[in-house]
Amino acid sequence: MEPENNNKVIGPGAKHRLMKYQDSLQQALEKAGLVKAFLQHNQLAIHPINYAVVYDYISGNNAGLCQAIEQKLASKTALDDFIMAELYQRWLADENTEQEQLLQEVTGIVGRLSGYTDLAAEATGQFIQQLEQHLDNLATAPAKVSDITGVIKAQAQAYQQQQQQLHNQLEMANKQSHQLRHELEQLKLQRMQDPLTGLYNRIAMQNQVDLWLTEQPERRIAAIVVDIDHFSRFNQDYGQTIGDVILSKVARKVGSYVQASGMPVRSGGEEFLLLLPDIDLRTANEIAEQVRKGVEKLRFVSSRDKKSLPKVTISLGVSLFQAKESWYQFLARSAQVLKLAKERGRNQVADELMLQQG
């Protein structure tokens, strides 16, 4: 009997993790204490995702993760499980990095296949046309040449049929490649969306903001922060399943007020962010008020007993991005404007001018 082979192949992601974590027991214990202190200071639960993110941050192995956390801390952004999960998804999930690389490679292959299909079809047509022309010229030659011409024509017809079959196959492959490309684009889109609400997630938000500011560094971007009033109490009274339904419907309503140039984002558990480029504060306030009224008009009925559920309202904070501040500082300031709307009684819109006056 052959001896068991224990020399298993380790994938690139696993090799990277093994190389990255070479701490001694004492080092790991020291870092564990720092991780626990960090989590407690930021009022975060000690579960695997939060622990992994903070351990990597404490270790300093991931420059991108460290920078992202430092920016949030500098702007006094409150860390929660939602943000920590997105940090894990963006910076620590090896399978996502490998999947993105795979998607890029497959997309390139698909693009080349489409180009090869068009070239093959064009070359086939030109070859057949030239061959028929030469055969017609041979037909004017002496008798023996004419006999040979007949054979060549027969062979050419057979070749033409084969080429036509190839052309049909390439056309089918081309259609399949276009379908695959569409599916890949849908997959990429899904990775940029929040699965519950269908709105964009923070990763998509950061990518879009980077694009906007790269195109125009001084670009004016308005932000409307939206929070569902007393949503945690609603979840406690009616359960998370009904709460998720309410959250999803409110999200769709909120997102419906954003045109194609803007971006609706789920930025927290029951919090949304509407980004509106090239909009002034007054216009953003008007849009925010429309959103508030639209959500207030929503009515919900329990599918179980057909009873009406309590009215859902939202509080909104409106602010404009300033080029002198970082994006995280801007989000933190926007959160302060939202807090003002809640302090003033909820179900209303506050803007950054009110914050300055207060």
Side-chain angles (χ1 to χ4, degrees):
M1 184 173 62
E2 294 291 335
E4 182 179 357
N5 182 7
N6 291 321
N7 297 323
K8 297 181 180 179
V9 176
I10 301 177
K15 287 182 180 179
H16 176 69
R17 288 191 295 272
L18 289 173
M19 293 176 62
K20 188 169 66 170
Y21 297 116
Q22 295 292 331
D23 295 337
S24 66
L25 177 60
Q26 183 60 35
Q27 289 172 326
L29 289 174
E30 291 175 357
K31 288 184 180 180
L34 294 174
V35 170
K36 183 178 179 181
F38 183 96
L39 292 174
Q40 290 177 340
H41 178 73
N42 290 278
Q43 299 182 342
L44 292 166
I46 305 178
H47 57 60
I49 288 181
N50 288 350
Y51 191 93
V53 171
V54 178
Y55 193 97
D56 225 57
Y57 169 64
I58 295 296
S59 299
N61 295 317
N62 191 321
L65 174 65
C66 292
Q67 183 180 7
I69 293 179
E70 291 294 344
Q71 287 177 328
K72 291 181 183 298
L73 294 177
S75 62
K76 298 182 180 180
T77 300
L79 299 177
D80 55 24
D81 285 350
F82 192 88
I83 292 177
M84 297 296 281
E86 287 199 331
L87 289 171
Y88 180 87
Q89 185 82 359
R90 182 167 191 176
W91 299 107
L92 298 183
D94 289 332
E95 61 273 15
N96 288 335
T97 302
E98 294 170 0
Q99 183 186 46
E100 181 63 30
Q101 182 179 357
L102 176 62
L103 288 176
Q104 292 177 356
E105 292 174 354
V106 173
T107 301
I109 293 173
V110 169
R112 289 193 294 272
L113 176 60
S114 297
Y116 295 156
T117 301
D118 296 337
L119 290 174
E122 182 180 358
T124 299
Q126 291 177 351
F127 174 79
I128 293 174
Q129 182 179 5
Q130 292 173 359
L131 181 59
E132 289 178 343
Q133 182 178 355
H134 292 319
L135 292 175
D136 289 337
N137 293 335
L138 286 174
T140 61
K144 289 185 178 181
V145 177
S146 298
D147 293 339
I148 297 174
T149 300
V151 175
I152 295 177
K153 277 193 172 183
Q155 293 176 344
Q157 290 175 354
Y159 175 79
Q160 184 176 10
Q161 291 176 355
Q162 292 175 352
Q163 291 301 306
Q164 186 61 47
Q165 291 177 356
L166 175 61
H167 177 69
N168 293 339
Q169 291 172 348
L170 287 174
E171 277 194 336
M172 179 61 68
N174 193 30
K175 291 179 181 179
Q176 293 173 346
S177 72
H178 286 302
Q179 178 63 28
L180 179 58
R181 181 182 297 170
H182 174 73
E183 292 176 359
L184 288 173
E185 291 299 326
Q186 291 300 311
L187 180 58
K188 288 182 180 179
L189 182 61
Q190 289 174 8
R191 292 192 60 216
M192 294 294 177
Q193 286 180 327
D194 172 65
L196 177 61
T197 63
L199 301 185
Y200 291 102
N201 58 27
R202 284 175 174 263
I203 297 176
M205 175 194 72
Q206 193 60 59
N207 290 342
Q208 184 60 59
V209 169
D210 290 344
L211 178 61
W212 281 337
L213 296 181
T214 298
E215 293 174 343
Q216 188 177 338
E218 302 294 327
R219 192 164 199 168
R220 183 169 54 193
I221 303 175
I224 303 175
V225 186
V226 182
D227 188 83
I228 302 178
D229 295 329
H230 304 298
F231 188 70
S232 58
R233 186 187 306 170
F234 194 97
N235 268 339
Q236 292 174 0
D237 294 341
Y238 297 96
Q240 186 173 351
T241 301
I242 294 180
D244 285 348
V245 173
I246 301 298
L247 185 68
S248 179
K249 290 186 177 180
V250 171
R252 285 199 295 270
K253 188 66 175 179
V254 169
S256 68
Y257 290 90
V258 181
Q259 298 180 352
S261 59
M263 191 176 202
V265 180
R266 186 186 180 191
S267 53
E270 64 270 14
E271 186 176 287
F272 312 111
L273 182 65
L274 305 183
L275 299 180
L276 310 171
D278 308 317
I279 295 292
D280 58 26
L281 189 64
R282 178 180 178 181
T283 303
N285 265 303
E286 293 173 353
I287 294 173
E289 183 62 23
Q290 293 176 10
V291 174
R292 187 196 67 79
K293 290 180 179 178
V295 171
E296 190 177 29
K297 291 178 182 178
L298 293 175
R299 296 294 179 266
F300 302 99
V301 178
S302 172
S303 58
R304 183 182 305 171
D305 52 21
K306 306 303 179 183
K307 291 184 179 180
S308 297
L309 299 176
K311 183 173 65 174
V312 175
T313 62
I314 55 176
S315 299
L316 306 95
V318 184
S319 54
L320 288 180
F321 174 65
Q322 306 293 332
K324 62 183 179 181
E325 62 186 346
S326 72
W327 186 252
Y328 291 105
Q329 290 173 329
F330 172 55
L331 293 181
R333 183 163 59 82
S334 301
Q336 291 299 313
V337 180
L338 173 64
K339 182 179 179 182
L340 180 61
K342 293 181 179 181
E343 292 174 347
R344 293 166 66 95
R346 301 180 188 267
N347 190 24
Q348 60 182 276
V349 177
D351 64 39
E352 59 185 15
L353 296 181
M354 297 179 184
L355 189 64
Q356 296 170 5
Q357 294 168 1

